[in-house]
């Protein structure tokens, strides 16, 4: 009332409402809405009764002594009365009786004004309440309020002689309203607005052709809340039917708040409008079934491929919760889904929210149970010992490998927490005991190498509790004797130094334990790191520091914490801390960290600095750390320092570790100028010249080169025990210099540098170059000429010089004279060139799982294995035979394992079965042949870890930084023992972590929360190796690198499609938890279509043929000839069948309640059959919300049929028939193409057509319809309703059906046309009447034509 009236009339109305005794309901604290409504209705009724009586009644009310009287006599009310005075508004507001008399006098003098005011008040009241009435007709839950309101509206319209309004209400509620006749007609009546009529015309002719007079003025008024519901529906229909926009205002006269987002169709605009108006699925269910159809149509059309930049609420409205989660900010965990849904409850349907998972893959729980005991069976004595890999089995890995036992086998191979089995006789002798010790020693070499692989295997797979210490599994070097009831055997400490043997392996064991921590855990707590710090420094905590640093967690340490660690003067702790800090601060050039590192380089100390004795091992670690800290910066001073360190003279007792120190300096220099080449600032030409002098071995005497020497060099030269003079010892400096050049010019395609790194082309050159240097030359050349690496046999053979190629051709031919050449030099060169090419190939295709590279590397691995000892038949035709005659087995073993490592770098994280079998063979072969030295076992362990990197969820990148880290890890000098750090520090082998990327993606069903198999199509951009390509994968899987990834599309018939488009760029993969991560940190939410099973439950798709299942269940619709006791107890019910395809509780409940087999009568069987068909329709087309639409439309026909055949009428209104008219109009709009959908209409056109035909048949069969219609047309009379006669009620109802369905004009309009025909003597015809009444059905037009034609007959 406040929104529909002017302020003065509204104040007048409040005065009338609050002035009489009806206001006493306000005295009651528990006054209900009914009492308020009665008070409101009484005031309106009095106004509509005897006007003088109403006035006198108001004036004669006595004053009640109540709280209300106290309020109206207050000073506040008096001031309000004075400022809002309207004659007659507050007759009881005076403080004495004289005020009342004076008010009566004023009213008597202004009787005409009062009557005008009352009439204006009632007209505005009618308009306002009618707008509310039309709005309530669009809400299924407001039928009771609608019934109360229509009675009051009829009274107001009857008083105002608004016959068209009366006729309008009579059609809606034919049994509730009293009779009226034509005698009450006015000459200038008003036509009542009708939202149903406007919606129907909008669908039939478009928004521009719909009559705006059918919209209540209050709906078009901005800021009205009471009719906000109707305004929203009108605005949605306007957008759908082509209304023009001007800001928030539409051409239909209403406003609509549209959410931001792109749209290309009218349906997409409607969805954005619904989101902007916060109109959700639960609101859609409140609409009449027919009214909701066009809006459901818009949602259904947009559901499959909506635009990508919509708000999350829009996707929830579409039923695409998968896309909603994809676009929410940082949905990194599925547990956040419940919160997300609750925040979007305004646009979701409560009963549509998932309540329980559909299926729980048995493979997960079953395999977990069997796997947890599998290793315990191996060692019953230590079955409870933790091996650090028990957490690797989760739903994701189980989905990846299913019942495949590869992960179990990897866990067994990498387990170092249990004694190894030693095969000995049952009754050993003294010699057997010596054999046991020898065998146990060889096995101990393998056991100490296992942490390398275990660290890679478990990389980033757990999240530890920050309230608990990190558990490190034991490193057990003991053995057990199965032949002697698993008796334990330990290494004899008198023969071997056990503690020295376990020193560095324990370090690696702790690194492996620390690498398990997942980056998803986020920032590590400083308190937790210090909490794990032991009272006395040990190698375990040192390894943990390195692992945390490789994950970037050491940034939380303060400079005080760092120097406290250094002050312990513990070698392993210092090494782990320096490398870890450098990895955490990689590329930042942090000054405080830089200073702490240079402290550990005595060669850089000034001459006045006290002499500090530090092991070369720590100095080597400091050099690598400097390189990591300054990575890619090309810092001139740092480059100068590192260049000097490559050729630094030996000092002290570190002569044997000089090569390792020089190699570390070379790696560090390469990292500082990584890929910068000629872009590096400084004396780059002089630097390169000096590096080449380190390679070729010229004397250092140039003044230019003196720029890179320092006083520390002179100091060390004078104090060293070995004097090298001015000559360069290339055996020490060449490897580091070659590596430095390779990294400095990585991917630069510099022909100049490559030309200065030649491979020997003559016999003479081969005599002066070490074979292992040839290997480094090949690697360096290929890393520089990165784009020329090809995964083909021809490319590898092109790396071999012609002199070498010709020299090895005749190795297997005894007749050929090969004594004139140094065959050993040729074969050594050939072997190293091939291995260098294979390592280059592995780095070039690291983590790509390229099939050509895999086949090629596997071929050469088998080739080298057969050259060592023929073990299998391989397809290695064209490759030279008999290499083992000229090359020692140790070299061939090293080459073999380097190729295998390269192969696993390519196949990282794939778990490739053929490669895994080969690795298992190598592991067992080495132990059996007695060649299980530490270096090869470390390579096999690392290879297994790479192949199953992070449990198969991680892989390698080919960025510059990653290639450098992998080259450090794969440096082709394998250690000879667990404590061998001379040529390459073993801690550097863990730097592969810096090259890893979590490009793993798994799909999670958004409804069940379970990981599922989903086919995806991956598109990669064009490169120099291939054109733009699309290929299919099945999740869980790894994606290509960010530099080439263009799009990922969910495909297949079982899940709703979605496309994630990306812009390829040369950047690292997104970090876990990054808000810009397009794959939610590796989780892609998908939504399964109703009617399809998951690929876990139905791998081949046979069970997804729902029609077959429903056909089998059709027997339930037939009467049972046998008793229930004879039925098969194993029969599947419909609800069980539906629950297989959907977890929607509405579908399952519908199947239980409406599709059971308990029906006996024919009507019940017909209804059950209809329910089965509707259920099949909704399930097969994934439209579960249409169930209530079908049932509502079916119920409309049902009650009409029941009313027609029975003696009683079951319905008091015709609103459901109006809803059905909207549904028919929607069907016509779809058929005519005004509304389009690739999937067709959301309701079967034949179903709506049959409903329309059925209604017309009922209307044409109604008894006495012609006479009743004639009376209505002639005088506006309805069948009389004396004493609530059932026949009269039926007649009224049937007539209202006819008038509503055929849109018959009001009696006043019919009479107006009749008068004009008589006056102008016009000959009526069907065509003419069709123009006069365009919305009236042709059947009613015929009746009107007969009525008008009767005038001519009378004349």
């Amino acid at each position: 009332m406040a929104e529909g009236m002017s302020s003065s009339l509204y104040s007048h109305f409040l005065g009338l409402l609050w002035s009489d005794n009806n206001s006493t309901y306000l005295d009651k604290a528990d006054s209900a809405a009914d009492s308020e409504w009665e008070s409101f209705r009484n005031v309106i009724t009095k106004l509509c009764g005897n006007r003088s009586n109403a006035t006198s009644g108001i004036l004669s009310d006595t004053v009640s002594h109540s709280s209300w009287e106290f309020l109206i006599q207050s000073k506040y009310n008096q001031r309000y009365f004075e400022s809002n005075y309207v004659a007659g508004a507050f007759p009881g507001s005076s403080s004495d009786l004289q005020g009342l008399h004076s008010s009566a006098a004023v009213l008597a003098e202004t009787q005409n004004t009062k009557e005008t005011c009352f009439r204006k008040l009632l007209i505005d009241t009618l308009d306002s309440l009618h707008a509310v009435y039309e709005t309530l007709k669009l809400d299924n839950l407001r039928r009771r309020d609608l019934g109360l309101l229509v009675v009051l509206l009829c009274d107001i319209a009857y008083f105002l002689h608004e016959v068209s309004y009366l006729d309008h209400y009579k059609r809606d509620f034919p049994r509730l309203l009293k009779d009226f006749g034509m005698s009450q007609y006015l000459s200038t009546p008003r036509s009542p607005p009708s939202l149903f009529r406007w919606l129907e015309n909008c669908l039939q002719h478009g928004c521009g052709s719909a009559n705006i007079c059918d919209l209540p003025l209050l709906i078009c008024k901005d800021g009205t809340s009471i009719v906000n519901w109707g305004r929203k529906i009108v605005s949605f229909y306007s957008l759908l039917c082509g209304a023009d926009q001007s800001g928030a205002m539409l051409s239909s006269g209403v406003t609509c708040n549209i959410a931001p987002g792109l749209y290309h169709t009218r349906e997409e605009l409607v969805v954005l409008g619904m989101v902007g108006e916060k109109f959700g699925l639960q609101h859609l269910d409140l609409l009449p079934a027919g009214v909701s159809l066009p809006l459901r149509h818009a949602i259904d059309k947009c559901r499959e491929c909506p635009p990508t930049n919509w708000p999350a609420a829009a996707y929830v409205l579409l039923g695409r919760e998968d896309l909603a989660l994809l676009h929410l900010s940082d949905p990194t965990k599925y547990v956040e889904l419940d919160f997300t849904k609750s925040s979007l409850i305004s646009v979701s349907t409560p009963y549509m929210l998932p309540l329980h998972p559909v299926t729980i893959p048995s493979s997960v729980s079953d395999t977990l149970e069997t796997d947890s005991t599998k290793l315990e069976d191996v060692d019953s004595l230590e079955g409870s010992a933790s091996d650090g890999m028990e957490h690797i089995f989760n739903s994701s890995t189980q989905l990846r490998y299913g019942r495949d036992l590869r992960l179990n086998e990897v866990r067994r191979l990498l387990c170092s927490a249990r004694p190894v089995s030693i095969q000995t006789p049952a009754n050993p002798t003294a010699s057997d005991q010596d054999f046991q010790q020898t065998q146990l020693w060889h096995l101990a070499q393998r056991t100490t190498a296992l942490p390398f692989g275990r660290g890679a295997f478990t990389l980033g797979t757990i999240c530890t509790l920050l309230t608990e210490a990190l558990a490190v599994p034991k490193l057990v070097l003991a053995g057990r004797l199965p032949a002697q009831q698993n008796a334990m055997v330990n290494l004899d400490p008198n023969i071997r130094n056990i503690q020295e043997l376990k020193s560095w392996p324990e370090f690696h064991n702790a690194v492996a334990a620390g690498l398990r921590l997942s980056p998803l855990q986020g920032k590590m707590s400083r308190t937790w790191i210090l909490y794990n710090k032991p009272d006395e420094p040990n190698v375990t905590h040192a390894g943990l520091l390195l692992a945390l640093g490789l994950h970037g967690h050491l940034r939380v340490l303060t400079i005080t914490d760092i120097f406290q660690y250094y002050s312990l003067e513990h070698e392993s702790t210092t090494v782990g801390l320096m490398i870890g800090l450098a990895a955490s601060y990689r590329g930042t050039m942090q000054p405080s960290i830089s200073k702490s590192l240079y402290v550990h380089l005595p060669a850089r100390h000034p001459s006045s600095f006290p002499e500090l004795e530090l092991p070369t091992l720590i100095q080597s670690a400091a050099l690598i750390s400097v390189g990591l800290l300054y990575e890619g910066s090309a810092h001139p001073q740092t480059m100068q320092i590192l260049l000097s360190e490559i050729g630094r003279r030996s000092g002290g007792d570190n002569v044997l570790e000089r090569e390792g120190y020089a190699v570390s300096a070379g790696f560090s220099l390469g990292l500082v100028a990584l890929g910068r080449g000629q872009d590096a600032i400084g004396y780059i030409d002089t630097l390169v010249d000096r590096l080449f002098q380190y390679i070729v071995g010229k004397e250092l005497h140039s003044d230019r080169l003196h720029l890179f020497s320092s006083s520390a060099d002179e100091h060390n030269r004078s104090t060293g025990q070995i004097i090298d003079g001015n000559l360069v010892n290339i055996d020490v400096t060449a490897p580091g210099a070659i590596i430095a050049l390779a990294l400095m010019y990585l991917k630069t395609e510099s022909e100049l540098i490559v030309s200065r790194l030649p491979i020997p082309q003559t016999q003479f050159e081969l005599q002066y170059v070490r074979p292992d240097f040839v290997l480094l030359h090949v690697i360096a050349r290929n890393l520089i000429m990165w784009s020329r690496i090809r995964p083909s046999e021809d490319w590898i053979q092109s790396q071999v010089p012609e002199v070498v190629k010709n020299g090895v051709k005749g190795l297997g031919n005894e007749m050929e004279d090969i004594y004139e050449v140094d065959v050993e030099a040729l074969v050594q060169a050939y072997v190293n060139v091939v291995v260098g090419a294979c390592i280059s190939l592995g780095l070039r295709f690291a983590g790509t799982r390229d099939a050509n590279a895999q086949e090629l590397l596997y071929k050469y691995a088998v080739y080298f294995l057969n050259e060592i000892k023929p073990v299998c038949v391989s397809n290695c035709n064209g490759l030279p035979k008999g290499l083992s005659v000229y090359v020692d087995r140790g070299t061939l073993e090293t080459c073999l394992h380097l190729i295998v490592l390269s192969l696993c770098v390519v196949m990282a994280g794939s778990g490739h079965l053929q490669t895994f079998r080969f690795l298992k063979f190598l592991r067992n072969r080495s132990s059996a042949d007695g060649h299980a030295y530490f270096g090869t076992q470390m390579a096999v362990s690392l290879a297994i870890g790479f192949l199953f990197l992070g449990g198969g969820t991680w892989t390698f990148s080919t960025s510059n930084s990653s290639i450098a880290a992998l080259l450090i890890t794969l440096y082709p000098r394998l250690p000879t023992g667990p404590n061998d750090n001379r040529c390459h520090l073993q801690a550097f082998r863990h730097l592969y972590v810096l090259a890893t990327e979590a490009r793993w993606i798994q799909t999670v069903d958004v409804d069940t929360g379970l990981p599922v198999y989903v086919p995806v199509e991956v598109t990669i951009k064009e490169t120099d190796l291939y054109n733009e390509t699309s290929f299919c994968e099945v999740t869980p899987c790894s994606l290509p690198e960010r530099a080439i990834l263009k799009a990922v599309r969910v495909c297949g018939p079982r899940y709703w499609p979605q496309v994630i488009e990306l812009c390829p760029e040369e950047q690292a993969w997104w970090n876990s938890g990054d808000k810009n991560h397009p794959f939610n940190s590796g989780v892609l939410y998908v939504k399964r279509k109703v009617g399809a099973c998951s690929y876990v439950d139905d791998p081949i798709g046979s069970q997804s043929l729902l029609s077959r299942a429903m056909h089998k269940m059709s027997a339930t619709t037939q009467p049972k000839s046998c008793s229930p006791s004879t039925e098969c107890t194993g029969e599947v019910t419909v609800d069980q069948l539906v629950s297989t395809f959907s977890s929607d509780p509405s579908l399952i409940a519908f199947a239980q309640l409406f599709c059971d087999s308990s029906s006996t009568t024919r009507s019940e069987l017909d209804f059950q059959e209809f329910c089965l068909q509707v259920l099949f329709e909704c399930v097969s087309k994934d439209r579960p919300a249409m169930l209530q639409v079908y049932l509502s439309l079916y119920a409309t026909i049902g009650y009409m049929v029941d009313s027609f055949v029975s003696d009683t009428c079951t319905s008091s209104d015709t609103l459901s028939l109006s809803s059905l008219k909207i549904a028919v109009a929607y069907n016509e709009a779809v058929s005519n193409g005004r509304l389009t959908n690739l999937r067709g209409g959301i309701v079967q056109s034949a179903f709506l057509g049959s409903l329309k035909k059925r209604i017309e048949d009922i209307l044409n069969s109604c008894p006495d319809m012609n006479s009743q219609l004639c009376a209505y047309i002639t005088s506006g009379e309805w069948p009389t309703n004396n004493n609530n006669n059932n026949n009269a009620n039926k007649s009224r109802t049937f007539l209202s059906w006819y008038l509503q369905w055929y849109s018959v004009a009001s009696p006043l309009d019919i009479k107006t046309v009749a008068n004009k025909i008589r006056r102008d003597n016009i000959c009526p015809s069907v065509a003419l009447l069709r123009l006069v009444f365009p919305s009236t059905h042709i059947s009613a037009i015929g009746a009107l034509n007969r009525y008008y034609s009767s005038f001519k007959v009378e004349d």
Side-chain angles (χ1 to χ4, degrees), residues 766 804 807-808 811 822-833 882-887 892:
L766 288 174
V804 176
V808 299
L811 289 182
D822 188 351
V823 180
E824 182 177 353
L826 293 174
V827 175
Q828 290 276 5
Y830 176 80
V831 168
N832 283 277
V833 169
L883 300 181
S884 59
V885 178
Y886 304 99
V887 182
L892 291 178

Side-chain angles (χ1 to χ4, degrees), residues 4 112 376 401 514 620 722 754 1173 1230 1261 1271 1273 1278 1335:
N112 294 332
E376 295 178 6
Y401 297 103
S620 299
I722 299 178
V754 169
Q1173 293 175 355
V1230 174
S1261 302
I1273 294 175
W1278 287 70
S1335 61

Side-chain angles (χ1 to χ4, degrees), residues 416 451 454 472-475 504-514 990:
S416 61
R454 190 172 69 251
V472 178
K474 295 180 180 180
L475 187 63
W504 279 102
E506 289 283 4
F507 174 86
H508 303 309
N509 190 45
V511 174
H990 298 287

Side-chain angles (χ1 to χ4, degrees), residues 37 103 114 179 202 237 279 357 405 411 423 466 480 625-626 667 848 865 908 971 1098 1140 1161 1279 1289 1296:
W37 170 255
S103 298
K114 179 200 64 176
D179 300 328
C202 195
Y237 270 72
F279 191 91
L405 299 179
R411 182 181 178 186
Q423 303 299 328
L466 298 184
R480 61 184 178 87
S625 302
V626 170
F667 274 118
T848 61
L865 178 62
Y971 182 68
D1098 183 20
T1140 305
T1161 64
N1289 287 334
S1296 66

